[in-house]
Amino acid sequence: MSPDSEAETDCAGAIEPRGELAVRNWAMPADTNPDGDIFGGWIMSLMDAAGAMTATRIASSRVVTVSVSNISFLQPVKVGDAVCCYTDVVRIGRSSITLCVEVWVLRQGRGERIKVTAAEFTFVALDDAGQPRPLAGSQPQASLAI
């Protein structure tokens, strides 16, 4: 992690979470890496699930993850932390939805929120045959202002 890592993501944010709370979970001992911190892959999985829930609601259909970009692990997550994933729309295309997904923790489930991870996740809406489909009533948008 570089000192500038938060600036490397479009999801760079500040003092408050962006968007809506999509997932909340406890960090448990089974989710640790060999150093005793929570495994980054577990965090990414929560982020993907949070983003998929939001994208599914927006698309009103099944969605799949097509890309993850600008992921920054800003601080470690510890066993016992309350892990909260927030999602916010960055762009809506013809069949795609790009979300900023931020992870904030409450150390041991209390105290101030601390931002620990952020990334952009892009999802594509699928039809019943598993093919990309246009989003109902959507017009492609440029990036939304932060």
Side-chain angles (χ1 to χ4, degrees):
M1 168 174 43
S2 71
D4 299 322
S5 58
E6 188 164 294
E8 294 167 6
T9 177
D10 290 335
C11 292
I15 39 182
E16 293 293 322
R18 260 179 76 174
E20 64 183 41
L21 178 64
V23 169
R24 179 181 284 183
N25 208 337
W26 285 110
M28 300 296 285
D31 305 315
T32 58
N33 63 26
D35 294 322
D37 294 323
I38 298 302
F39 179 56
W42 184 79
I43 297 293
M44 288 182 68
S45 176
L46 283 182
M47 295 171 80
D48 191 33
M53 284 188 253
T54 300
T56 297
R57 181 178 45 77
I58 293 167
S60 297
S61 72
R62 176 180 166 208
V63 297
V64 292
T65 308
V66 295
S67 73
V68 179
S69 59
N70 300 321
I71 191 159
S72 296
F73 293 94
L74 307 170
Q75 293 194 35
V77 177
K78 304 292 186 181
V79 170
D81 287 350
V83 181
C84 306
C85 297
Y86 293 83
T87 59
D88 192 38
V89 174
V90 174
R91 279 181 302 284
I92 295 180
R94 190 183 75 77
S95 63
S96 67
I97 301 164
T98 301
L99 301 172
C100 172
V101 181
E102 294 181 345
V103 180
W104 293 69
V105 298
L106 297 170
R107 298 290 184 201
Q108 300 303 301
R110 58 189 177 273
E112 292 187 35
R113 287 183 291 217
I114 300 167
K115 185 176 178 180
V116 296
T117 310
E120 281 191 5
F121 281 71
T122 300
F123 300 87
V124 168
L126 299 180
D127 63 19
D128 292 337
Q131 298 299 309
R133 70 159 190 83
L135 295 167
S138 72
Q139 298 292 328
Q141 299 176 7
S143 294
L144 302 176
I146 298 176

